[in-house]
Amino acid sequence: MSQTVDRALSILPLLAEGPANLEQVAGRLGVHKSTALRLLRTLHEHGIVHRQPDQRYRLGTRLFALAQQAVENLDVREIAHPHLVELNAQTGHTVHLAVHEENEVLYIDKVESRYPVRMYSRIGKPVAITVAAVAKLLLADLPEQERRAVAQRLDYPRYTARSITDPATFLAELAKVREQGWATDLGGHEESINCVGAPVRGPDGRAVAAMSVSAPNVVVSADELLTLLPLVRRTADAISDEYSGRTPSPDNTERQR
Amino acid sequence: MSQTVDRALSILPLLAEGPANLEQVAGRLGVHKSTALRLLRTLHEHGIVHRQPDQRYRLGTRLFALAQQAVENLDVREIAHPHLVELNAQTGHTVHLAVHEENEVLYIDKVESRYPVRMYSRIGKPVAITVAAVAKLLLADLPEQERRAVAQRLDYPRYTARSITDPATFLAELAKVREQGWATDLGGHEESINCVGAPVRGPDGRAVAAMSVSAPNVVVSADELLTLLPLVRRTADAISDEYSGRTPSPDNTERQR
DNA sequence: AAGGTCGTTGCAGTGAATGCAACAAGCATT
DNA sequence: AATGCTTGTTGCATTCACTGCAACGACCTT
């Protein structure tokens, strides 16, 4: 739309390949040296490109700073909420969103069946970190070494007969979750409640949050709940895409796994 | 230099603060809506900005990808990382790596005490350039004339009672740092936090990066932290050697201390 | 239905970007 | 040392692309 800006931006991927000098940039842009110079100068003033001692240009660290600031100011909850509502509408079940922070996993949003109003019942409260599906998802994303450290220092309350109660089992569960990309809690926290969840990932692929759908046995069996897995994963992926600034292509009917 | 590009690039830091709609962008840019629209469109086509379902704009994946490449091209980071991890393991404290670029000093890596989870907390953010140990190290390495120029144009926020708040004191401090080859920040940024750092030098002897170890008063006193100085310097030197392609002679055991 | 907000589009005027050519600086070759 | 080559920089005339305006349309609220 804007020729000048278009040209300037075209320089970036070019420099991403590696440092380049003025003529190389001008050549690949198909413009006169002087034009390229002025574009590069402008980019330089904004710290987007950096001039090396050998006068060649490369991408600047300002880009990194910008990206960093952007993710920090991103509110997962804000982005996720509409998706959670939709999932709730589709399934009728309770939907949770959780993040990992300072050795705790806590709910930051919840859409409850029938109650459109946000009741902060469990929101903000730490989850049962050793059994909850969302907790497994978030911890499973940590590097191995750290996962081990965390598993060691946790307490393992026996909420129910199905609770995980030792580090080894927990680590094995995390490995499985990491492998398959989704998690469940089948009566591990409360005997009659099952959950199935999936991770929300940021631009760098790391899990920034996790979501889950929960329902009591009396409403749907665990097996029935599991049939919702594809839908849950699709929702989580949609949130990931939006959070990462990816454009959900209009015709992306189904994503391949 | 180029008005159009200048305006377009000015949108980026604006969006880094958070999503914004067309009018907000136009307003803060001081241009007509239609102008802002066309700039945003161009940025959008390049994937630099992303349009949310609510039509607001925010930074897009492409920017994240570029930022990623920008830091990956900084091979200091890659070389330094294992050393930082080791230093962290030895001391238990937070370790930072920073570079100087375009009038800013910013963290490009960090290894946090015990909780690498928060990995990217301060990474990408400009450091408090008038007080941070790494900033002193990098600025101290500049030629005198340039140091003076920088010192003059800086702001000197009084973060704490111990902050450096005027150019003369700052220049004196830089001279001292230059002389001794290491730097500290004793409560100059945050009252209870002390740092000690050393420079990473390239083959030509110029500082290409700086690293520091930080710890709160409550954990170790400033004096205790200073006892780590030899270790910090040795680590920085090891990184320098590797970066400069000097053989970190296999038998010059770092451990014989 | 009316009124308001906000994004989008066509258009005319002009100011800003472009390419040219000459210049400067650094380096290699002779 | 002189010459020629390469590469970055600057002043300038031309023109084209960018700008702001105003009108339109989509959507939401009352």
Side-chain angles (χ1 to χ4, degrees):
Chain A
M1 270 275 137
S2 166
Q3 188 188 63
T4 318
V5 178
D6 187 51
R7 285 174 171 172
L9 295 181
S10 301
I11 293 178
L12 302 185
L14 197 153
L15 290 185
E17 296 171 15
N21 65 20
L22 180 60
E23 287 204 328
Q24 293 170 319
V25 172
R28 293 194 52 180
L29 269 184
V31 300
H32 194 268
K33 282 189 303 180
S34 55
T35 305
L37 177 68
R38 287 180 281 246
L39 296 176
L40 282 165
R41 281 229 183 103
T42 311
L43 289 166
H44 180 84
E45 277 170 16
H46 285 258
I48 305 292
V49 308
H50 174 66
R51 197 135 197 213
Q52 294 183 337
D54 64 355
Q55 288 217 315
R56 290 190 303 167
Y57 295 90
R58 64 168 174 76
L59 294 182
T61 44
R62 192 81 219 290
L63 270 176
F64 187 60
L66 280 174
Q68 203 55 40
Q69 191 192 342
V71 293
E72 274 172 23
N73 290 337
L74 256 196
D75 191 3
V76 209
R77 184 171 36 175
E78 191 184 339
I79 291 174
H81 192 72
H83 296 271
L84 305 185
V85 170
E86 191 190 335
L87 184 56
N88 167 263
Q90 289 172 349
T91 65
H93 302 309
T94 300
V95 181
H96 276 116
L97 182 72
V99 294
H100 176 45
E101 221 169 63
E102 309 288 346
N103 290 325
E104 280 182 343
V105 172
L106 34 91
Y107 292 120
I108 57 170
D109 201 1
K110 174 185 185 179
V111 181
E112 198 144 2
S113 47
R114 293 290 150 204
Y115 297 103
V117 184
R118 304 253 227 103
M119 192 49 222
Y120 282 70
S121 54
R122 275 166 86 180
I123 300 184
K125 285 194 175 154
V127 319
I129 201 169
T130 55
V131 295
V134 288
K136 293 175 188 172
L137 288 162
L138 291 166
L139 296 185
D141 187 65
L142 298 176
E144 155 133 31
Q145 180 191 352
E146 215 174 320
R147 245 179 299 157
R148 284 240 265 273
V150 171
Q152 283 307 328
R153 78 169 158 262
L154 286 180
D155 281 336
Y156 292 86
R158 184 184 296 273
Y159 303 104
T160 75
R162 288 156 155 184
S163 297
I164 292 174
T165 54
D166 65 287
T169 313
F170 189 54
L171 281 172
E173 174 75 0
L174 290 189
K176 189 179 117 197
V177 167
R178 190 184 175 88
E179 172 68 24
Q180 67 191 9
W182 50 276
T184 60
D185 164 25
L186 304 177
H189 183 48
E190 295 182 32
E191 193 64 63
S192 63
I193 307 257
N194 301 314
C195 309
V196 53
V200 173
R201 302 186 181 278
D204 56 356
R206 296 206 34 167
V208 295
M211 52 166 297
S212 69
V213 168
S214 315
N217 264 324
V218 291
V219 177
V220 287
S221 69
D223 283 349
E224 286 173 300
L225 187 62
L226 278 179
T227 63
L228 296 178
L229 177 59
L231 183 55
V232 172
R233 298 188 73 177
R234 225 174 301 136
T235 303
D237 290 346
I239 300 172
S240 301
D241 285 348
E242 200 178 323
Y243 182 81
S244 305
R246 282 187 284 272
T247 321
S249 37
D251 51 9
N252 101 357
T253 41
E254 191 58 43
R255 60 180 48 243
Q256 67 287 22
R257 327 207 92 107
Chain B
M1 268 277 141
S2 166
Q3 188 188 64
T4 319
V5 177
D6 185 53
R7 285 173 171 173
L9 296 181
S10 300
I11 293 178
L12 303 184
L14 197 152
L15 290 186
E17 295 171 15
N21 66 19
L22 178 60
E23 287 204 327
Q24 293 170 318
V25 172
R28 292 194 51 179
L29 232 58
V31 300
H32 195 269
K33 283 189 303 180
S34 54
T35 304
L37 176 68
R38 286 180 281 247
L39 295 176
L40 283 165
R41 280 230 184 103
T42 312
L43 289 165
H44 182 79
E45 278 171 13
H46 285 257
I48 306 289
V49 308
H50 170 66
R51 197 138 199 210
Q52 295 185 339
D54 64 357
Q55 288 215 316
R56 289 189 303 166
Y57 295 90
R58 29 163 301 228
L59 298 183
T61 20
R62 201 69 219 290
L63 188 88
F64 296 108
L66 285 171
Q68 200 60 33
Q69 299 198 46
V71 284
E72 274 170 15
N73 289 344
L74 298 178
D75 33 30
V76 210
R77 188 169 179 264
E78 204 171 329
I79 291 173
H81 192 73
H83 296 272
L84 305 186
V85 169
E86 191 188 334
L87 184 57
N88 166 263
Q90 290 172 349
T91 65
H93 303 308
T94 301
V95 181
H96 277 115
L97 183 73
V99 295
H100 175 45
E101 199 176 296
E102 312 293 345
N103 292 325
E104 277 181 347
V105 172
L106 47 90
Y107 294 120
I108 57 171
D109 202 0
K110 174 185 187 180
V111 182
E112 194 145 3
S113 51
R114 297 288 152 208
Y115 306 109
V117 192
R118 306 295 287 158
M119 247 328 246
Y120 283 78
S121 53
R122 271 167 89 178
I123 298 187
K125 274 191 185 164
V127 319
I129 201 168
T130 55
V131 294
V134 288
K136 293 176 188 170
L137 288 161
L138 291 166
L139 296 185
D141 187 66
L142 296 177
E144 156 133 30
Q145 181 190 350
E146 212 172 323
R147 245 179 300 157
R148 284 242 263 272
V150 172
Q152 282 306 328
R153 78 167 157 265
L154 286 181
D155 280 336
Y156 292 86
R158 184 184 296 271
Y159 302 105
T160 75
R162 289 155 155 185
S163 298
I164 292 174
T165 53
D166 65 287
T169 314
F170 190 55
L171 281 172
E173 173 77 359
L174 291 189
K176 187 180 119 197
V177 167
R178 190 184 175 90
E179 173 67 25
Q180 67 191 8
W182 52 274
T184 60
D185 165 25
L186 303 178
H189 184 47
E190 295 184 33
E191 194 64 62
S192 62
I193 306 258
N194 301 314
C195 309
V196 52
V200 172
R201 302 187 180 280
D204 56 356
R206 297 209 32 169
V208 295
M211 52 167 298
S212 70
V213 169
S214 315
N217 264 323
V218 292
V219 176
V220 288
S221 70
D223 284 348
E224 285 174 300
L225 188 62
L226 278 178
T227 63
L228 296 178
L229 177 59
L231 184 55
V232 172
R233 297 188 75 175
R234 222 173 305 135
T235 303
D237 289 346
I239 299 172
S240 302
D241 286 347
E242 198 176 329
Y243 181 77
S244 305
R246 284 189 285 273
T247 342
S249 27
D251 50 16
N252 95 352
T253 63
E254 297 276 328
R255 57 182 61 216
Q256 69 187 15
R257 46 146 330 162

